[in-house]
């Protein structure tokens, strides 16, 4: 493995909790948007 | 002097209806959909109003809910379009009907209209009245104490914590139509696996966790049921990976289980709050006959009127302004196809092994056909269910209901505890001979039974007893007489249309 690829892999490992958190937040935000777009099921 | 009241229920919401009450007598009750031919039609129409006015001229019009309280809730929910729509204020809306001109309009509240419909038709001297639906103005669950002519609210829970909204939201999640197809979810539940594990937890627990459903004891001074998620816009986002047919059946089973758990908790609360031994269950949720059958052992007697949903509230609100105890006799209160019930023709047809329709007498008030607008056949034999499902063009897994003479019901079915008769199909019962009657038995071995006695419907009773005399079988299949996607047949022309559409004989009055 090239040193650069190894460093990238280690860096990705270190920042994994942060990327996981960001991804979850993005999904949550998207979900909220989608929910708001749904019509009311009762008048 | 007796007051004549025109009660309006469900209008501008879903499934509009009208009742006409003079003194304590219910002269007329009918659904707008049967006249407009639009299923669950929320708008009133002239034909319905004119039919009702044949039975008397109203002194007052009673509207089933308070429009201003409703607008307050809609504002809070963000339904701005509805809030700004002043054309749907009842007094303004009713101006389009010249027949009702000059008659004063009074408002009630949504849950009182439900509770009064149930309690004052029950015949009980006292009762605990439980109303569960999606949303009233604000209220979603109320418990009332009925005693003599008085009805007092003892518990209330408000939007957005709603058991009805939960069930409707899950109905929509399954790809069905919310506020309409809840009964299909109930039917699908029998095919699901309630023990299914999903993400290391039983599916029903996953639903409760994801939606943040909690149940509290009365002493904790909390809403008895709370939801973290507001389900007013549905929950199509829940479990997006569950897509196969079996997944949907499992979701339906888990939903039904969650509903039954919460219903059980609500009934416990009503027992704590009201000391009566009688229960009246109302609101759209009271149409869940599978769940209803689980709670009958908690009370000596349980009454669910044939039309417990929004449409049925037109009776309760009319009672409020007539100030009389209702004289409930029959659910056959709608459009009249005059003449004698076609007993002999139907008997010969079913004996010949045919499927035939009956459209005779006054239409049933409520979502279920109870013999006057019915598609029927012999329930024995393996092919009947598929043949009827093909005619009605509906899902193959759905069974049909039996109508059976009251004296024979306990031989053929194990009825829920404390339920001796079920004239309005509000409970399910275990069939004792499922192999003999495959058309009327669901996959879980239950049937939504309609019991018939001489007083309730003498002609239908005669038909069943004649069929029993010829065959030894005391029951017939009963399903509603309607073209797929259309409301139940109302008048003679509808019966002809049905007959032409499906090439099935429909016998009208003779």
């Amino acid at each position: 493995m090239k040193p650069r690829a190894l460093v990238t892999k280690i860096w990705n490992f270190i920042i994994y909790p942060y990327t996981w958190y960001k991804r979850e937040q993005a999904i949550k935000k998207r979900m909220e948007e989608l929910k708001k777009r749904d019509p009311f099921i009762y008048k | 002097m007796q007051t004549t009241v025109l009660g309006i229920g469900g209008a501008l919401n879903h499934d509009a209806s009208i009742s006409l009450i003079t003194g304590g007598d219910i002269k007329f009750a009918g659904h707008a959909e049967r006249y407009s031919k639009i299923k669950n039609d929320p708008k009133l129409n002239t034909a319905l109003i004119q039919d009702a006015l044949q039975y008397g001229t109203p002194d007052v019009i009673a509207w089933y809910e308070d429009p201003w309280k409703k607008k307050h809730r809609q504002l809070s929910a963000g339904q701005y379009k509805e809030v700004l729509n002043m054309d749907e204020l009842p007094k303004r809306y009713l101006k389009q009907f010249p027949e009702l001109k000059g008659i004063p309009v009074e408002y009630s509240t949504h849950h009182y209209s439900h509770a009064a419909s149930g309690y004052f038709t029950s015949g009980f001297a006292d009762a605990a009245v439980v109303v569960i639906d999606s949303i009233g103005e604000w209220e979603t669950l109320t418990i009332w104490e009925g005693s003599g002519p008085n009805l007092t609210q003892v518990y209330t829970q408000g939007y957005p914590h709603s058991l009805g909204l939960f069930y409707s939201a899950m109905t929509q999640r399954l790809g069905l139509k919310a506020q309409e197809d809840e009964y299909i979810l109930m039917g699908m539940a029998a095919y699901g696996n309630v023990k299914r594990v999903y993400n290391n937890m039983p599916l029903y627990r996953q639903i409760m966790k994801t939606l943040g459903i909690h149940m509290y004891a009365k002493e904790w001074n909390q809403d008895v049921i709370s939801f973290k998620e507001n389900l007013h816009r549905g929950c199509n986002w829940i479990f997006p990976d569950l897509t196969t047919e079996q997944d949907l059946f499992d979701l339906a089973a888990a939903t039904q289980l969650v509903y039954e758990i919460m219903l059980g908790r609500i009934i416990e609360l009503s027992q704590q709050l009201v000391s009566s031994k009688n229960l009246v269950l109302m609101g759209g949720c009271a149409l869940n006959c599978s769940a209803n059958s689980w709670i009958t052992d908690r009370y000596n007697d349980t009454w669910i009127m044939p039309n417990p949903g929004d449409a049925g509230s037109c009776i309760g609100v009319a009672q409020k302004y007539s100030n009389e105890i209702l004289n409930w006799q029959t659910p056959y209160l709608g459009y009249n196809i005059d003449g004698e019930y076609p007993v002999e023709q139907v008997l010969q047809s079913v004996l010949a092994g045919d499927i035939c329709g009956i459209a005779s007498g006054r239409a049933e008030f409520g979502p279920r056909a109870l013999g006057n607008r019915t598609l029927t056949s012999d329930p024995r034999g393996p092919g009947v269910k598929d043949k009827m499902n093909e005619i009605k063009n509906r899902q193959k897994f759905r069974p049909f209901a039996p109508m059976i003479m009251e004296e024979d019901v306990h031989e053929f079915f194990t009825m829920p505890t404390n339920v001796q008769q079920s004239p309005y199909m509000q409970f399910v019962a275990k069939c004792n001979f499922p192999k003999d009657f495959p058309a009327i038995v669901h996959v879980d071995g239950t049937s939504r039974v309609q019991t018939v006695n001489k007083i309730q419907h003498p002609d239908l009773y005669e038909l069943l007893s004649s069929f029993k005399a010829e065959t030894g079988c005391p029951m017939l299949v009963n399903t509603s007489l309607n073209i797929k996607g259309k409301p139940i047949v109302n008048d003679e022309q509808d019966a002809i249309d049905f007959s032409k559409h499906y090439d099935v004989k429909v016998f009208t009055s003779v």
Side-chain angles (χ1 to χ4, degrees), chain A residues 35-36 38 41-43, chain B residues 13 74 135 229 232-233:
Chain A
K35 277 187 206 173
K36 274 185 190 161
D38 281 340
I41 60 174
Y42 193 90
K43 275 172 91 179
Chain B
N13 205 346
Q74 287 169 333
I135 319 171
E229 292 286 344
H232 200 166
R233 290 176 188 268

